[in-house]
Amino acid sequence: MRGGGVRATLFGVRGTARILLIDDAELVFDFVQALFTEFPEPPSLEWRGTFEAGLEALLGGGYDACLLDYRLGARSGLDLLREASGRGCRTPIVLLTGQGSRELDLEAQRLGAADFLVKGDFSAALLERVLRYAIEGARTLERLRESEERYSLALQGANDGLWDWQVGAVEMHLSTRWKSMLGYTDDELPNLKASWWERVHPDDTAALELSLSRHVKGETPLLEQEHRLRHHDGVYRHMLVRGKAVRNAAGEATRVAGSLTDVTEARSHDALTGLPNRVLFTDRLEQAFVRARRDPDYRFAVLFIDLDRFKYVNDSLGHSAGDELLVGIARRLERCVRAVDTVARLGGDEFTVLLDDAREPDGALRVATRVVEDLARPFHVGGHQVFTGASVGITISSPQYERAEDLMRDADTAMYGAKAQGKGRFVVFDPVMHERAMRVLSVESGLRRAIDERELEVHYQPVFATATRHLLGFEALVRWRHPEHGMVAPLDFVPIAEDTDLIAMLDRYVMREATAQLARWRGGTGADLFVGVNASRKQFARADFAAEVSALLDASGLPAEALHLEVTETLTMDDAPLVGLQLSKLANRGVVLVIDDFGVGYSSLAVLHRFPFKGLKVDRSFVMNLDQSPRAAEVVRAIIAMAGALGLSCIAEGVESEAQFEQLRAWGCSRVQGFLLARPMPVEEAARFVSDAIRRGEVG
Ligand code: C2E
Ligand code: MG
Ligand code: MG
């Protein structure tokens, strides 16, 4: 360090610390002086014996700390304390009391004493510690004050308010800036804790109080709590309070001081795009609800926008490109709407728009069209041209909506509808859609239990030889005997199971039931019957599917040819090598592969050739119109002819009339299935059907 004689810091004070003792007994001076000699670095001690002399010395300044006797002749040390701090004295004062009186100590603290010591009951070590804490605490406060002055001079208007509180006091120093943040001038708001506390949002008071008391107790290293404070204009602002306690040697907090930051902007805006965030958006949406309640004609709309390929951009070009894209999207969205509308980013690649006045519903649709078209155009990010596209869901307000979250949920549902319909489009929410969404949810959770609870059952629909009307086999069709909804048809839950992983479980169950059942019928009667089991396309993408089927066959003891697997055409479009592999494994095992619902999908001869199919089922929609529509008739006739030429068996589904049956027979369709001959039936009925057919000799 420069200059001679300057000693290292003591108590954080450069040079020798100067301590003032105010006490009417000189004996105490000698005593303290003696203790100081035991300090590692003894401070200098000055003594004043009267109230007036002491006050004058204090106000004169230059001391690092003061030891003040409680008894000063006729007057009390507390009076001096009050007087000194009232006159701007900032020297930390440690009160020397006669006997331990908790009330006195508290009163001293309230008046700004840094700490207290019980006379005759302290050691050099304790005195050293108390003085050190007092000086350090004062320095902390001094720095705070300095920074406040610096703030208010340099950064007026854009910074934090400061506050300073003697623990337990009614008063609380609130800086000018603190008050102006809430719209008040310095003298409009008294320096009271209540000025703050009574403006806290009722929902936030408890949390704020708890944070403060925990910090005062020393349970947290820092006071940090967000809460809402009511501004002069009546609107709540989001505030962040930060503070730190100054503690005495016993570790008790004597003062707490800190800052107050207005985080309303940060709380209400998305940092990346600068758009309003979910909080602010919900706020605006709620305001729209309020307006709608006053004005029954007022309508507003919510657009829920989800980018179609954001993840792809983010994953392939990196996060900074992703961020750049999001900013670009935000700017384009803003251009799609009017100034009164709100564009917000909810998070990730989800954006929302609140259209303020949507009396004309086409207004909302026009905006949605613009959004979809605008976001389909390429963006330039990170030196690349990228396409993202967006799916949009729309909800228009109506008196049925009472809560913002319901409207948001429906816009979200509609957005999923847009995705499901192929992305890059918008869908307007309608209540039917909502019902479907609800059903999907309940079906999904219900199905998970259905198998354990044995609510699923398999029904069997007979398949006949066209020429003889003899029984050839059955198609196994799943049913759900729902405890509340009664018998549920597969079209109401199989597609949902297919969207989840439940389909594997469901198909496995049906196949196990059906093969076991057929083995019983065949074993008991010797009849050569088959069972057709429907397999979802998802199954074929599983590497172990063929092995699983094979194991089931082994378990049932059925010959492989007795199992027909019905697969829809869409499967075969899925050219994945895995699917091809499973199909050939199954065919090699001897399982009969059949294309179901033939004619409605992407029928392709190439596919029929490529995969080892043995048969096809003409879709019911053609058979149904056979006698009315010449075109449908042509299709059926062509399919039958083609199957014959390729050596495939052909089953006509959904035969309901003799006329249809006759036509199919005439064209050479070998097998039929339909209500005309038999409906799907529960297992006991199917068992009787088998034995009746055998008795009459009408099998095979
Ligand atoms: P699918 O495989 O084409 O089954 C034939 C459907 O046509 C059955 O409907 C059957 O009851 C119905 N049907 C048969 N003959 C007639 C008729 O003459 N007239 C009319 N109107 N309908 C007839 P179901 O049982 O409702 O099954 C519908 C679809 O659900 C099935 O179509 C199949 O794709 C699927 N499915 C059924 N069970 C299962 C299963 O265990 N697993 C899988 N993955 N899908 C299944
Ligand atoms: Mg089928
Ligand atoms: Mg079918």
Side-chain angles (χ1 to χ4, degrees), residues 461 475 477-479 490-491 494 503 506-507 510 534 536 566 596-597 620 653-656 674-675 680:
Q461 184 177 28
E475 176 173 9
L477 294 161
V478 71
R479 298 287 180 268
L491 289 183
V494 168
I503 192 65
L506 185 148
D507 279 355
V510 173
N534 296 285
S536 162
E566 301 189 5
D596 204 348
D597 305 340
R620 191 162 64 83
E653 297 184 299
V655 183
E656 294 185 358
F675 293 176

Side-chain angles (χ1 to χ4, degrees), residues 43-330:
S44 71
L45 185 68
E46 284 171 44
W47 173 57
R48 298 288 185 282
T50 64
F51 184 99
E52 291 73 22
L55 184 62
E56 196 191 316
L58 256 184
L59 295 177
Y63 299 102
D64 295 302
C66 168
L67 293 165
L68 170 64
D69 189 13
Y70 172 62
R71 297 192 175 283
L72 287 171
R75 310 188 61 175
S76 114
L78 293 182
D79 295 336
L80 198 150
L81 199 55
R82 194 177 295 122
E83 182 94 28
S85 52
R87 288 166 71 169
C89 167
R90 287 173 184 173
T91 308
I93 297 173
V94 176
L95 199 70
L96 304 175
T97 59
Q99 72 291 325
S101 157
R102 192 69 197 143
E103 271 151 54
L104 193 66
D105 302 340
L106 281 177
E107 179 64 14
Q109 272 189 20
R110 234 168 264 139
L111 287 173
D115 211 340
F116 64 91
L117 283 167
V118 178
K119 254 189 197 172
D121 193 24
F122 57 84
S123 60
L126 179 60
L127 179 63
E128 199 259 357
R129 196 144 44 92
V130 166
L131 284 174
R132 180 149 46 84
Y133 275 96
I135 292 170
E136 279 175 8
R139 279 201 308 142
T140 308
L141 292 173
E142 199 53 45
R143 271 202 303 271
L144 263 166
R145 282 197 197 91
E146 274 169 17
S147 63
E148 172 168 9
E149 274 153 26
R150 222 180 21 246
Y151 270 155
S152 45
L153 285 176
L155 294 162
Q156 245 169 26
N159 46 61
D160 299 351
L162 297 170
W163 53 277
D164 179 358
W165 181 57
Q166 300 290 328
V167 174
V170 177
E171 300 83 27
M172 180 184 272
H173 172 71
L174 302 170
S175 73
T176 309
R177 172 68 193 135
W178 194 104
K179 294 172 188 173
S180 74
M181 281 163 69
L182 288 185
Y184 294 92
T185 62
D186 206 9
D187 24 271
E188 276 174 338
L189 216 54
N191 279 324
L192 296 174
K193 188 181 173 212
S195 298
W196 183 340
W197 251 240
E198 70 195 8
R199 287 178 171 75
V200 177
H201 191 286
D203 293 349
D204 298 346
T205 313
L208 179 62
E209 193 62 63
L210 183 69
S211 283
L212 178 62
S213 78
R214 291 194 60 202
H215 181 60
V216 166
K217 281 187 211 147
E219 292 169 13
T220 52
L222 203 74
L223 164 67
E224 202 162 24
Q225 183 67 36
E226 222 176 288
H227 60 289
R228 284 161 290 176
L229 271 183
R230 197 177 58 249
H231 191 271
H232 189 48
D233 63 13
V235 177
Y236 281 100
R237 316 276 305 170
H238 289 271
M239 298 290 190
L240 174 67
V241 57
R242 283 209 184 92
K244 196 161 171 55
V246 175
R247 296 180 190 281
N248 63 22
E252 290 162 339
T254 55
R255 318 172 76 140
V256 191
S259 61
L260 186 77
T261 315
D262 190 329
V263 292
T264 310
E265 273 294 299
R267 276 288 308 249
S268 61
H269 284 83
D270 169 44
L272 177 65
T273 61
L275 291 178
N277 63 13
R278 185 188 293 271
V279 173
L280 183 55
F281 186 80
T282 312
D283 225 56
R284 299 251 168 100
L285 192 55
E286 249 134 36
Q287 283 168 24
F289 267 97
V290 170
R291 193 171 150 193
R293 254 171 248 136
R294 281 200 307 260
D295 172 6
D297 287 339
Y298 175 71
R299 289 273 184 285
F300 56 94
V302 167
L303 268 56
F304 202 108
I305 302 159
D306 190 280
L307 306 183
D308 290 333
R309 277 175 299 277
F310 176 71
K311 198 177 142 23
Y312 171 75
V313 174
N314 216 34
D315 290 352
S316 56
L317 300 181
H319 289 292
S320 68
D323 285 354
E324 210 181 311
L325 176 59
L326 289 171
V327 173
I329 301 255

